[in-house]
Amino acid sequence: MPRPRNRGEALEIDQSGPLASAPPRPPEDWPAENLAAQYDAIRHVTEALCEPLAIEDYVVQSMPDASPVKWHLAHTAWFFETFVLARYLPGYQPFHPLFGFLFNSYYEAAGPRWSRPQRGLLSRPTVAEVYRYRAHVDRHMDELFGPHHAAELRRAASTVILGLHHEQQHQELILTDLKHAWSANPMHPVYKEALADDSSLPATRRAFFPEGLVLIGHDGDGFGFDNEFPRHRVFLKEFELATGLVTNAQYLAFMADGGYRRPELWLSDGWAVVQARNWDAPLYWEQDGEQWFAITLSGRRPLVAGQPVCHVSYYEADAFARWAGARLPSEAEWETAAAIGTLAGNFLDSGRFHPACSPSADDRGPCHQMYGDVWQWTASPYVGYPGYQPPRGALGEYNGKFMCNQFVLRGASCVTPRSHARRTYRNFFPADARWQFTGLRLAYDPK
Amino acid sequence: MPRPRNRGEALEIDQSGPLASAPPRPPEDWPAENLAAQYDAIRHVTEALCEPLAIEDYVVQSMPDASPVKWHLAHTAWFFETFVLARYLPGYQPFHPLFGFLFNSYYEAAGPRWSRPQRGLLSRPTVAEVYRYRAHVDRHMDELFGPHHAAELRRAASTVILGLHHEQQHQELILTDLKHAWSANPMHPVYKEALADDSSLPATRRAFFPEGLVLIGHDGDGFGFDNEFPRHRVFLKEFELATGLVTNAQYLAFMADGGYRRPELWLSDGWAVVQARNWDAPLYWEQDGEQWFAITLSGRRPLVAGQPVCHVSYYEADAFARWAGARLPSEAEWETAAAIGTLAGNFLDSGRFHPACSPSADDRGPCHQMYGDVWQWTASPYVGYPGYQPPRGALGEYNGKFMCNQFVLRGASCVTPRSHARRTYRNFFPADARWQFTGLRLAYDPK
Amino acid sequence: MPRPRNRGEALEIDQSGPLASAPPRPPEDWPAENLAAQYDAIRHVTEALCEPLAIEDYVVQSMPDASPVKWHLAHTAWFFETFVLARYLPGYQPFHPLFGFLFNSYYEAAGPRWSRPQRGLLSRPTVAEVYRYRAHVDRHMDELFGPHHAAELRRAASTVILGLHHEQQHQELILTDLKHAWSANPMHPVYKEALADDSSLPATRRAFFPEGLVLIGHDGDGFGFDNEFPRHRVFLKEFELATGLVTNAQYLAFMADGGYRRPELWLSDGWAVVQARNWDAPLYWEQDGEQWFAITLSGRRPLVAGQPVCHVSYYEADAFARWAGARLPSEAEWETAAAIGTLAGNFLDSGRFHPACSPSADDRGPCHQMYGDVWQWTASPYVGYPGYQPPRGALGEYNGKFMCNQFVLRGASCVTPRSHARRTYRNFFPADARWQFTGLRLAYDPK
Amino acid sequence: MPRPRNRGEALEIDQSGPLASAPPRPPEDWPAENLAAQYDAIRHVTEALCEPLAIEDYVVQSMPDASPVKWHLAHTAWFFETFVLARYLPGYQPFHPLFGFLFNSYYEAAGPRWSRPQRGLLSRPTVAEVYRYRAHVDRHMDELFGPHHAAELRRAASTVILGLHHEQQHQELILTDLKHAWSANPMHPVYKEALADDSSLPATRRAFFPEGLVLIGHDGDGFGFDNEFPRHRVFLKEFELATGLVTNAQYLAFMADGGYRRPELWLSDGWAVVQARNWDAPLYWEQDGEQWFAITLSGRRPLVAGQPVCHVSYYEADAFARWAGARLPSEAEWETAAAIGTLAGNFLDSGRFHPACSPSADDRGPCHQMYGDVWQWTASPYVGYPGYQPPRGALGEYNGKFMCNQFVLRGASCVTPRSHARRTYRNFFPADARWQFTGLRLAYDPK
């Protein structure tokens, strides 16, 4: 099925290129014989994404929250080395004694680590050495996938799968951080030429959802991160959801109406950020005379009115919604809407749906643009679900320790690997983060 | 009914003194004829709280988040002047043209304001002038309460009541901020001598609560802040709650077990704060040889093992709970426990309670120390209830615009005016705040 | 002899009031019998300066570099207690065990001390206690001055004299820091009503000075700080010095000519400060329509064109001079000009003077406004004279350890005690300091 | 004549390699026909210095004060493009419209510029593009040197010569900044293997210099920067100078004697820096058990006792001198000592020299290690000489605008191109700078 063409910023990344070679969503029981193929495919995508880069592009770090491409490449190798090879492949020797220190991201249990804001200070190891590191890890993973280590692989399998999803997260981050690094460069490098925007989307309307107890969270069928569990009941009041995303044109109207100058539209923290950082438009937007431009991975380009607004913070999404007489959806509301048509029985009382949201297949659900354009801010602070338990050991730091001062984003963006997106996925960022591909969808209280 | 003697820090404030003269919880329909008396009583308490102070104590500001006592005195007068007198008393003239600028706290709609971190820079107006300001406002409020302004008072009544609750909030803040200012002073000023600690509390055990839909939020009977509305349904899984608060002795055990040195116990943000600020004990604790002391409003005193731990941040509360194999309760869980025995019908399905938590009267409920010792951190980020709407106009800034990056605290502390506490009250502070009188109660997932 | 009336900011302080009661410049051999009288007079001036203040005015600290008035009062008592009484008066007991910690300014050798930027956090000791502290010290100084301690006094005498000059420095700082604290206060407190400005000054012209070896530094006749020694030879090229100070009118012309917007006029560091702090006028200047005002100790007043510009940093003085086609004088040039007419033999070869600068008595020298208006920035970085040696012990920290990253100012301001000014006095502040009463005089290279 | 082998850090850079190909000190009248050869030689050295680098090494910026190697390469090309080609070569077209913005260092008059602390954020232009930029500039410089532009070259010649000296300054900075960038890298890259240290130096003693008027500053024979002019008279008291530099062994004795823990040894600003940055040894020193190591351009190597201490700040040099009962020399003293034996008539009264410092040829002067080991901190703040005038136009920003808050260093370091060193050279850095190759020589007041 062809993906809709209208994605954020005029098809920043043609995912039918490198990302399309990523594996489809792993089946419930990842057969061991498939794991090697999945591994090869996903690891290959990561390197294919870097093909347009010069050596210099791998090195720079444009802010503490972003990382150099070189670091992403090495860190994802480190993940397999540390959590898979060192634990499960007998006799494995680390590639370099310092790499465990240099490429640990934030795992306290995995020992000390190089300071995050200083990742851009390291000219060595060189890019070539990092690729050798990856090759070294890949060779040993091959060995683990081989006939002599079936028992080890069985024990390692769930961590290997986690490592692949982790690698996919960093595929998105490579492009996200590269875009940020390049955005500061007046030479406006181009990652890939933009495609023509031949999309036509249905007009946005409101889909109605009745009140009731819903089941939220991963059902255990296929891979899910720890924070998607446990599946649990939530009581929802009736609500409405916009069928499409907020567009650049709508956001320009908010700006023209003084959106960035009216404190009554903003959370107190948000207003403080607007003033301290002199925000007056989404990240990467620049005005030239009357025309607005956006820095994209295809260079600096005129803003397209009908495309989803992107690179807005939670504060901006929240202020826009207030201005529009709406609000942001909760993550339970978003997930409920996403479930319609794809998962029978999601609603405990499914008999009461409004005709407008009768269950239908994926892209024929009540709402569109759920995945593949922009991550969508929800009104839900990122906390554990009732009964949430992090995994034991170092991997317990994967999601649980960030459950504070962040907001949940749902959906998936135009740089998310397609096989990485799912209905129960909980992305999360602080309220002031804008360098991710983030936009919004409006929700309403009926009446 | 005598209040239990065991409150945080050995009866920091004897509330049977000045605070006891505060009115009981206002009845549902605050009769207009009572309003003047309520106003006089509450305003008097504010000034009585300042009796032990020297002029110099009114002036200092020890950190951006705290305010000088003088500012609190003036700001609470400003509230009545701005939102009541200027709007409802015909011909009212502000006391001083600059005071609207100097004593606005954060109301964007009320115009520009003096920078909060610089409140301690103002030697003028003097304390005497601030008391004259209060007297001026009180005189005109008397006029509004008088026979010639019945219609105006009727329209103003709800704002007057809000102003009184606002004044009570600042009564607590006066003592809280004074404590912080004095804590930095090596001369250890004493606000009031400590009472003997003759308390004996029942041993803490776990009270069980079954799963079910509960009603959360204010029922409209009596005053409630906007953020306590609307009352709404929440589905709770079964849970257990400690009947008492975490004590100093328990917290010392956490510290002795390396609590402040084990990153696996902490949220990522919390661990960063622990390291950046060199936290190794609650705020105001000092070790001298083997003995721990705490700075209190009665000076520097040896820590009392059985009293509730106080002046811990959300991060510390969360880490302690994790160390204890427990968690913090959600605010819905806390409110549900608080409701038992005092509000029939709080549970939609009240027939299924465990015998241990059979409904009972206030202090005979399943849990004790719910009010009057320390505010209790919950695991709930502070957001609006489903369908929440802030009031119109400037007063809409009262609670709504802070719904971001804060956590809800429930209960009431030893410096909260008694008539100010209630079951549905939602206090809130950022996760790193420690200067409030904040402690915790543990929750558990059964099994 | 009446002092000229035209001093900075329209007679900010009428020195013929309290300051006039200060002693004349101490004779070479301060007779012991006079010391008590000098002590009483100078200590009295300090307290007389505080008469117009409210208690609140003693407490605030408006920036790290400034101190609360209360602190100045206590610190000057601490100086006598620590360096005189504790060392020379047998059996002396410190007034309070904590005051040594609280009121040490910067003497490392005198033990740990309260953090300077936090001086404004201390509400206690109260102002009344500080006055009691001063009285306690004064009583014991009286004892030292008495008949039973002649030997001790003889040994202590030079430190007592140093303490009196130290006290005079803090008299100036009390008014300087108070002005800064009040300047931030929109209520514009008034220390003293301004006098009428009935001055008429001679027009400013250039006085010529020939090249030659000059003697610079204190000649040992009377008191001098360590940094005024040793007297030494300096070779000066011929130079010219403006006979008067740069005026507000001249400075306004600089501003009107884009002075604050033209980087070519500024030192690199200065330009960075201008941009970072958005400087566009001297400190305390405010524009209201076409009219400029200055905050003064007499409140907010219209700028007087003919008065000396005040509250400019070294950077601004330097930029103004460059704009004017001139430069700042070196301290040796300033001192040479000041010496003419008052100290025979200052010049090694005094026969070659231009008629314009024939030696004359004090105010009839070639230049006027040398003392009593504003401190005058020189182009000389503050370093030790050749062969400079600091005193032994803690008092060695008095001047020597600051010989880095500061510039010398010469003369004396309108808030300098008259008896404190002298030709060889070396005041010093960092290049960005503006809260002192600082202005400038131009120098020129002939031809 | 062979250079002494004992240079800072065991011959960090073998200057008889690439640097030796730099031209000897340009004669007074740089014949036009030589200029092209000089240009080629010096420009070639710059690129030869980069041969050991990986692409990644050109990109990183390890602190705001340091720059990426790539930036140095481009900036030195920009200098010739902007100040020579654009002004003097008819029809010259800039290589790229953005490079004027990206590679301007600090010339306000040359227009806006890319923020200095963000030089490391630019992955583009790539290193290859920067080399193309240099080649482009070189090609056009060749054209200017050619037969058709004799008149233009004549007018441009002094700027070309300035550009070559500027290029040599950046040759030193390339190695200095690279060392800093690599010092933070735990992989310890090696620029060049160290040579054996076969040096033997004469013991250090004190050379005596009598008092008198001396001539300081450039005499106009050959190239000199603006800040070396005008030559002028200075009166010096008699002084003594150590004949050799302070060694690592001496500095270790200072450390062992509590040098970094004794405030009485430090300037006040210096002590604040010691505490704020936790200094306890020179930059790049690391202790491993009993052994001290230094990070060098030859990797991490054991400290050599007899070599000059390097990478100390002015604060450390000053504290060491105070500890040693000595002081730092003034720049006039240093220059006077350097002049002996090489410049007849430097002293106005040369008949009175102590036998110990009888005039002799360069390395046979009274002092050794004057050039080629480390830059030597002097006690002289960096200000203009009497009568100093900066050049007109943008190049007036070269030295004059930094005359504030810096100290003069004299001599030359082991990474200074040999032809770049001279007796009157005034290097300058802030008192806390340590990443330059900086050490010290002691001075004494006789008796």
Side-chain angles (χ1 to χ4, degrees), chain B residues 52 54-57 59-62 96 98-99 101-102 114 120-128 181-182 184-187 189, chain C residues 52 54-57 59-62 96 98-99 101-102 114 120-128 181-182 184-187 189:
Chain B
I55 295 292
E56 292 87 340
D57 297 322
V59 179
V60 301
Q61 176 176 37
S62 51
H96 190 290
L98 277 170
F99 281 19
F101 171 68
L102 290 175
W114 183 250
L121 300 191
L122 298 175
S123 60
R124 311 291 180 94
T126 62
V127 172
W182 278 358
N185 193 319
M187 303 191 73
Chain C
I55 294 292
E56 292 87 340
D57 297 322
V59 179
V60 301
Q61 176 176 35
S62 51
H96 190 289
L98 277 170
F99 281 19
F101 171 69
L102 290 174
W114 182 251
L121 299 192
L122 299 174
S123 60
R124 312 291 180 95
T126 61
V127 172
W182 278 359
N185 192 320
M187 302 191 74

Side-chain angles (χ1 to χ4, degrees), chain A residues 52 54-57 59-62 96 98-99 101-102 114 120-128 181-182 184-187 189, chain D residues 52 54-57 59-62 96 98-99 101-102 114 120-128 181-182 184-187 189:
Chain A
I55 295 292
E56 292 87 339
D57 297 321
V59 179
V60 300
Q61 176 176 34
S62 51
H96 190 289
L98 277 170
F99 282 19
F101 171 69
L102 291 174
W114 183 251
L121 300 191
L122 299 174
S123 60
R124 312 291 180 94
T126 61
V127 171
W182 279 358
N185 193 319
M187 302 192 73
Chain D
I55 295 293
E56 292 87 340
D57 297 322
V59 179
V60 300
Q61 176 177 35
S62 51
H96 190 289
L98 276 170
F99 282 18
F101 171 69
L102 290 174
W114 183 250
L121 300 193
L122 298 175
S123 60
R124 311 292 180 95
T126 61
V127 172
W182 278 359
N185 193 320
M187 302 191 75

